[in-house]
Amino acid sequence: MKFKKVFWKGKIIDEWSDDLDGIVNDLRKGTGYLHNLKIDEIIDFIHEVAESWKGDKNFKKRFGLYLNGLIGFMDKENLEIIVDTAIRKRHALDGFVRFNEKPILYHAQPRGLTVQWIAGNVPILGMFSFFQALLTKNSSLIKASSKEYDDFLILLESFRKVNTKKVKGKEILGSVAVILVDRKDTDTMEKLSMAADVRIAFGGKEAIDSIIGLKKRFYAEDIIYGPKYSYAVIDKESLQDHKNLAQRFAVDVSVFDQYACSSPHTLFIEKGGRIDPEKFAEELANHLSLVNRTLIPKGETEPGKVMDILKVKTKYEILGKVFSSPKNEWTVIYSDEEGLADPCFSRVIFVRPIDDIYNVVRFSDHRKQTIGIAVSDKRRSDFVDKVTLRGVDRCPNLGNMNLFESPWDGMFALDRMVRWVTTYTRNSD
Amino acid sequence: MIEELLGKEPFSLSGREKESVFLKAMKDSLIFHYENCEPYRKFCDNKKFNPNGIFPLTDIPFLPVSIFKELKLTSVPEKDILRNIHSSSTTSGKPSSVYLDRISMNRQVRTMNSIMGSFIGNERFDFIFLDSPETIRSQGGDLSSRATVMRSLLPFSKKAFYILDSNLNLNRRSLEDALNKIEGRVCFYGFTFIIYQFVHNTDKSVSKLFEGIESIVLHSGGWKKLENIKVEKKEFNRRVSEFLITKPENVIDIYGMVEHLGVLYPDCKYGYKHVPVFSDVIIRDTHTLEPVENGKSGFIQLLSPIPHSYPGVSIISDDIGKIVMDDGCRCGRKGKAFLFESRAKEAEVRGCGDTLKGPE
C-alpha cells in the first residue's frame, strides 16, 4: 500500500511512496550523526531553534500562546534539568559515567528508531515527543494525522536555518521523516510498528487501541500518551483568591479547546468559601470571554460540535445554570450534580459544588491524568498523595494544567527511550 | 387561534398571509407550555424569552430534538397522557419520546390528513406496507415512529397489507395475498432504509409481480443509513421505481420527525418540501445558529403550535437544509418551500478525555 511522505530529508514535500523500508534504513543511518553529538550540543541546538522562533513575527502570529509553551520547554536550563532528572546524569547519554562509589559504569544508549503516531486533536504536542527522541539521540519516523499536520511541518522545517558551532540543522533533520498513512491501511501500520524500537502514541481511545493492537518487536518499548480525562478542584480557603483563580483556569479551559488529555472538563468547588461556587462559575465565564477576545481566540467550530454544545447547553438551561457566549465560543455549565461530567470539548466546562474536596478522591483512577488544584497548604500534600495513589499522574496549580513537563502520564519518556548499558572500571575485581 | 389554523387548507396561504395568524397561534401555544411545563418555563427564563411579550418567530428559542431523549417533558397532567411515541433508532442509542394527550392526538390526525390529502388526493388507495404487521401495534400505549406514520396513512386506505415478516424480510405469502386482493391504485409505504433493503435483498424475480400495477411509493425515516453507504436520492428513486415498476417521480420522500407532531413534508413533483400553515421552517447558520437568508444551507429549525401535551413547539435538529422559495412553486402550493440536504457530520476531532465510560 502507498503512503504519503510529507517531510523528508529536511524538506516539506508531497509525494506518494511505497518504500517504507528505504525510509527506515535512511533514518537508522541518521542515528549515526546524532550519536556523535554530545547532549549539551543537542541542548544548545534546541535552545537556538527556540531563539529563532522568538524573533519570528509570523511564527508568533501563527502559533500564538502554543509557541510560548514550546519555547519555555526548549530553554537550555529547562532542558538540562529535564534530562538530568530523567537520566540522573545527562552525560550518561554521551558515554559511561559513575553514579555511585561502586565500580560499575552506566551509559544510556539510544534505542534506535522511534515511531510516533501523532493525534489530530493536539498536533503540536508531537513536538515534545520529537524533542525527547532527539535528546536521547534516537531517530523519528512520525505518522502525522492527515487532518492536522501543517503546523508541525512548519516548525520542523525551521530547523534547517539553525546552525550552532557543532550542530547543523540540516543534518539533524536527516533523522526525522513525517508520513501520512490511511488509517485503514493496516499493512503499512503494521510495518511501521514492526520497524519501531520505541512506539510513541498520542490520541483518543480508538486511536490508541488500534496502535496497541499492532504487532511489535518483543523488545520495543511503548510510550502511550492518553486517552485520559482531567479535571480541577478548588478548596474553600483558596477561594480568597477567586479572581486570579478564575483567570488562570480560563486559560486551562481554552488552551487546545479541551482536546488535550490535560484539559479540564469538570471543576469542583468546595462550598463555604469566600464566594459561592455559582458566583465563581459566573466569574469564570467572564474570564473565558476575555481569554477568547484577547489571548486565545477560538477558531471556527464544526457544525457537529455546535450541535453537541447546543444539546448540552439546553439540557442545563433546564436542569442547572448556563453562562455562555452567543456564538458558542465558550460555555460554563453550573449544576449541583455529583461526579464527573461527560466531556463535550470545545471550551465547555462543568462547574459543580462539593461539600469536601476529599469527595473527589473516589473519581481518581488510572484513566485520569491531571487534576488542576487550588488547595491550601494544610491539606495539599495529603490530598495530592491520595489522588495520585489511585492513579492520577499530575496535580499542577490552576493555570498550568497544559504546560508540558517531564514526567508526563506518569513516566519519564526520556528514560524509556534509552537502554541502560553497563560496564566496570578496570581492576574492579 | 390554533383551532383557526387547523381549519385552514394546508397550503392555502402565502408567507405574508400566514405570518400573523401563525405567530398568534405560536404565541398561544408558547404561553400554554410556559405556564404548564416547569422545565420549559425555566428554559425560556434562562433564554430571557417571555412568551407574553412581543417577538418575531426568529426569537423563539429552540430545543434540540435530542432533549426528548434526555428528559421527559410534558405540559399536561400524567393522567391525560394516552400515548408515547418514540423514535425507532438513533445514533446515541437512546430513543426520543414524546407524550401525547387526546388534544395532541386529535390535532395530529387532522394535520396529517390535511397534508397527505394534498399529495395523494382524497381517493383511497390499497396500501402495501413494506413492514411487518407487528410494527403497527401499540405496546402498552407506546408507538414507534414507523407505526405512527403508518397509522396516519390508514385513513387514506381502502385495504392495508403488510408484506414483511418480523425480521423485515419478504413474506412471500403475504405479498401474494395482497396482490390477489388489490383492486385499484396502490400506495407502497415504508421507511426509507427498509425499502432500500427490500429492493436490494429481494430476489429480482419478485419485481415481475408488480407489473401492471398503478402505484406510488411513499417513504420516510431519513437518509442517514443510506448516506453511510453512499446511496443518493436519485439512485434510490431509480432502484425503487425499477423494482416496484413505477415512475421515479412517483417515489415520494417524506421529511418529518417524531418530535414535530403531525406535520409531514412530502416532496412535491418538483422535488420541494412545502411548509404548511401549521408550521414554519427557519434555517440557522451551522456555526452561529443565527437565521440565514434563503438559499443558504444550515440547521433546520421547525416551529409548530400543534403539540399540546409536550413543549415541542420550536425544535432544531442536526439536519441540514435550505429554503428555496418563500412562495410561487409551480406545483401550486402556496408558502415557503425547502430542501433537506443532509445530516450534519458528527464532530470529527476527538478529544483525549472521552474515557469516562467502559472498563478501566
Side-chain angles (χ1 to χ4, degrees), chain A residues 203-255:
Chain A
K205 192 169 184 327
E206 208 180 314
I208 293 294
D209 282 347
S210 69
I211 295 163
I212 290 174
L214 296 169
K215 279 185 197 162
K216 64 164 190 169
R217 293 198 262 198
F218 76 89
Y219 54 82
E221 183 69 77
D222 279 346
I223 301 174
I224 305 298
Y225 293 120
K228 292 196 175 185
Y229 183 102
S230 294
Y231 61 100
V233 179
I234 300 175
D235 74 352
K236 57 187 173 192
E237 287 82 9
S238 302
L239 283 170
Q240 288 294 337
D241 196 16
H242 58 92
K243 284 193 176 144
N244 181 36
L245 292 179
Q247 189 181 1
R248 293 174 66 84
F249 189 61
V251 174
D252 288 333
V253 174
S254 305
V255 173

Side-chain angles (χ1 to χ4, degrees), chain A residues 298-341:
Chain A
K298 193 180 180 198
E300 198 168 67
T301 311
E302 292 177 83
K305 187 49 69 184
V306 169
M307 196 46 75
D308 288 346
I309 295 169
L310 179 69
K311 288 170 186 173
V312 171
K313 267 169 72 172
T314 306
K315 181 177 170 186
Y316 286 94
E317 274 158 351
I318 292 171
L319 297 177
K321 185 96 183 162
V322 176
F323 308 93
S324 66
S325 63
K327 292 184 181 171
N328 296 305
E329 290 98 341
W330 51 266
T331 309
V332 181
I333 290 172
Y334 180 83
S335 71
D336 55 10
E337 287 167 285
E338 280 193 358
L340 297 166

Side-chain angles (χ1 to χ4, degrees), chain B residues 179 182 206-214 242-245:
Chain B
L179 295 175
I182 56 170
V206 172
S207 174
K208 284 189 179 160
L209 301 174
F210 301 114
E211 270 175 6
I213 298 172
E214 190 190 342
E242 271 178 21
F243 195 89
L244 296 175
I245 311 183

Side-chain angles (χ1 to χ4, degrees), chain A residues 261 301-302 311 317 342 367, chain B residues 46 66 287 348 352 357-358:
Chain A
C261 290
T301 311
E302 292 177 83
K311 288 170 186 173
E317 274 158 351
D342 278 341
R367 285 185 294 182
Chain B
N46 269 322
S66 64
H287 300 292
E348 278 193 33
C352 283
K357 297 184 181 84

Side-chain angles (χ1 to χ4, degrees), chain B residues 304-355:
Chain B
S304 166
I306 303 304
H308 178 263
S309 46
Y310 71 97
V313 286
S314 170
I315 57 176
I316 195 166
S317 74
D318 48 9
D319 290 341
I320 307 278
K322 64 180 174 191
I323 304 287
V324 286
M325 65 183 82
D326 277 327
D327 245 321
C329 182
R330 285 176 293 158
C331 76
R333 291 179 182 84
K334 286 187 172 181
K336 210 180 262 185
F338 71 102
L339 287 173
F340 165 82
E341 295 180 308
S342 64
R343 285 171 66 111
K345 280 186 191 160
E346 281 180 51
E348 278 193 33
V349 180
R350 298 264 189 271
C352 283
D354 219 352
T355 63

Side-chain angles (χ1 to χ4, degrees), chain A residues 184-217:
Chain A
K184 289 177 196 152
D185 180 1
T186 45
D187 286 352
T188 307
M189 290 290 197
E190 196 100 350
K191 265 185 155 184
L192 273 175
S193 180
M194 285 300 288
D197 299 306
V198 182
R199 304 193 305 174
I200 303 169
F202 291 82
K205 192 169 184 327
E206 208 180 314
I208 293 294
D209 282 347
S210 69
I211 295 163
I212 290 174
L214 296 169
K215 279 185 197 162
K216 64 164 190 169
R217 293 198 262 198

